[in-house]
Amino acid sequence: KDPAFSFLLFIAFNMFTYSFYILRQTLAVCILLWAFHFLIEKKHFKFWLMLFIAFTIHRAAAVFIILYFFRNVRATMKSFERYMILLGAFMLTAPFVYKLVITPLLVMMGRSIYTDLNFSLNVMIIIMLGICFLIYLFNNFTLNFNKYESLMLHALIFAVFLEIIGM
């Protein structure tokens, strides 16, 4: 009923700035999905150009670089099982990795403000692992993944890894 008060709350609770952050991230993901098509079609220049454009919009697009190195790697159910075992082992060792590796790196980089953070199993990790489990559960075990599915699977596994280390 009072648009001025609504606008004041929108600004006061920093939703204005936050909405731009979400908009930038969404735009970068849309461009990356377009770049994904160029990667499959082996149009490497266009892939790198789209990746660069997405990176100029949001720096999180840089993690998409890893998919370039998996473009010719076919995923199978056996490799998927190995990935899941490695992710489980990494998740179990993550608290130790935080203390022994990540904390000293943050101190070296002058980011000691973040050293009091610890590994926590958050909702996003549970959802991503649930998606991995559903893929494993409902996939035909005799089939290999096609090129699109292989790249998407590698992207999902890498995303779970990044979520576990807290990036």
Side-chain angles (χ1 to χ4, degrees), residues 34-138:
W34 193 14
F36 182 80
H37 171 72
F38 292 130
L39 183 61
I40 295 294
E41 298 296 321
K42 297 182 180 180
K43 297 178 180 177
H44 301 295
F45 178 75
K46 289 182 179 182
F47 167 76
W48 287 106
L49 181 65
M50 291 293 113
L51 185 65
F52 177 74
I53 291 170
F55 180 75
T56 61
I57 294 170
H58 199 284
R59 65 187 169 132
V63 298
F64 208 74
I65 293 171
I66 196 77
L67 286 185
Y68 182 78
F69 301 105
F70 283 96
R71 68 189 183 280
N72 294 324
V73 178
R74 290 287 194 174
T76 62
M77 284 307 290
K78 190 168 191 140
S79 66
F80 185 62
E81 289 169 356
R82 283 189 213 129
Y83 290 148
M84 293 301 295
I85 290 169
L86 286 173
L87 282 175
F90 185 71
M91 194 167 64
L92 292 175
T93 61
F96 306 108
V97 171
Y98 268 80
K99 287 180 183 173
L100 299 175
V101 178
I102 294 177
T103 300
L105 280 174
L106 289 171
V107 171
M108 275 183 7
M109 294 170 27
R111 304 282 189 200
S112 58
I113 191 172
Y114 300 111
T115 56
D116 61 342
L117 300 176
N118 292 318
F119 171 76
S120 64
L121 187 66
N122 62 31
V123 175
M124 185 58 79
I125 294 174
I126 294 170
I127 290 171
M128 294 170 99
L129 288 174
I131 291 170
C132 290
F133 180 72
L134 288 174
I135 290 171
Y136 181 77
L137 189 64
F138 292 113

